Amino acid sequence: MPTPAYPFVASVDLAALPAGGTDLLLPSEGHLLFFSWPGSVSPSSAGQVVYVPAGVAVTERDRQESWNAGGVEEYRVMFAGYPRGPLRASFGVSLPYHACVTLPGGQDTVCIPGHPRAEELVGVWEKTQGDIAPAGALQIGGYSDEEAVYLDPVEDAVSAAVQAVQAGRWGGPVSADPADWVLLADWFAGADVAGWEGSTVHWVIQREDLAARRLERAFASVYWNP
């Protein structure tokens, strides 16, 4: 396959994840490779996901191959801040960080229907989450998080995906209903990349694409609170 257009972030060995360890219908073997650029302002996807099935012949490539082509020092400096070393899986509780949703039609936002005290519950979770389930650099599945949450970050990512398709910058079909999508992974990039504190990359995917193992159909969006 062509060299991904975004820098390499992480590789996840799916066989190392215990069955039922996530809320996702992931393959039981193989690797997921994540690529992204937390400084992306592209109207298309801000990253890629590559699924490498177990037993498939692969060759190693220069992890900087695609990104050094631009020759821009700022890019090299940012990429040098990407995390290094092994990832260690841990399992914890994941609860919503958002208290509002967009009404059908996309005009107004309201407190989560049926949960009039959602904002208070989110506040309690934010105060206790660090002691119960500390966040790591990369989260697989669960509820999405970012520095300043109002709506579900998955909802914002879905909106970006729909706009990218409408602009001809990403391939459809895509559903505009966030219920048809799920969080594949979050990368808290600001924890690693100096100058981009508050930056989070969200990879989302349609449930039917995940079930069919079309993991290359994952869409990435970036939230940055400078």
Side-chain angles (χ1 to χ4, degrees):
M1 63 171 292
T3 298
Y6 295 90
F8 172 73
V9 174
S11 173
V12 175
D13 181 359
L14 296 172
L17 299 179
T22 76
D23 58 342
L24 303 174
L25 296 174
L26 293 171
S28 59
E29 295 181 305
H31 287 75
L32 281 185
L33 309 184
F34 292 91
F35 301 83
S36 188
W37 180 245
S40 176
V41 292
S42 171
S44 59
S45 180
Q48 296 167 259
V49 173
V50 175
Y51 171 50
V52 183
V56 170
V58 296
T59 57
E60 185 174 355
R61 304 185 193 187
D62 181 351
R63 68 198 304 268
Q64 302 190 49
E65 178 181 344
S66 63
W67 214 242
N68 275 342
V72 180
E73 181 63 21
E74 178 187 355
Y75 295 166
R76 285 196 290 268
V77 170
M78 179 185 280
F79 186 46
Y82 275 35
R84 302 288 194 271
L87 289 171
R88 302 296 184 190
S90 63
F91 299 91
V93 178
S94 181
L95 295 174
Y97 293 87
H98 63 285
C100 297
V101 295
T102 302
L103 293 174
Q107 299 300 318
D108 299 307
T109 59
V110 298
C111 186
I112 296 175
H115 297 273
R117 306 188 71 175
E119 192 169 357
E120 295 175 54
L121 292 171
V122 169
V124 172
W125 177 235
E126 288 178 337
K127 293 178 181 178
T128 58
Q129 186 262 350
D131 296 326
I132 298 172
L138 186 75
Q139 174 183 313
I140 305 297
Y143 286 97
S144 190
D145 185 22
E146 57 194 25
E147 187 176 46
V149 183
Y150 177 62
L151 297 172
D152 184 355
V154 171
E155 181 179 325
D156 289 335
V158 171
S159 176
V162 171
Q163 292 177 42
V165 171
Q166 293 172 343
R169 295 183 176 273
W170 203 60
V174 297
S175 169
D177 185 352
D180 293 332
W181 295 72
V182 66
L183 177 72
L184 183 59
D186 265 356
W187 173 34
F188 306 103
D192 303 299
V193 183
W196 289 88
E197 293 80 3
S199 178
T200 304
V201 179
H202 310 289
W203 289 272
V204 299
I205 190 168
Q206 293 182 104
R207 296 179 186 276
E208 63 177 26
D209 285 331
L210 179 59
R213 298 190 178 181
R214 296 188 292 262
L215 289 142
E216 73 282 357
R217 293 279 302 148
F219 185 91
S221 69
V222 174
Y223 173 85
W224 182 40
N225 183 26

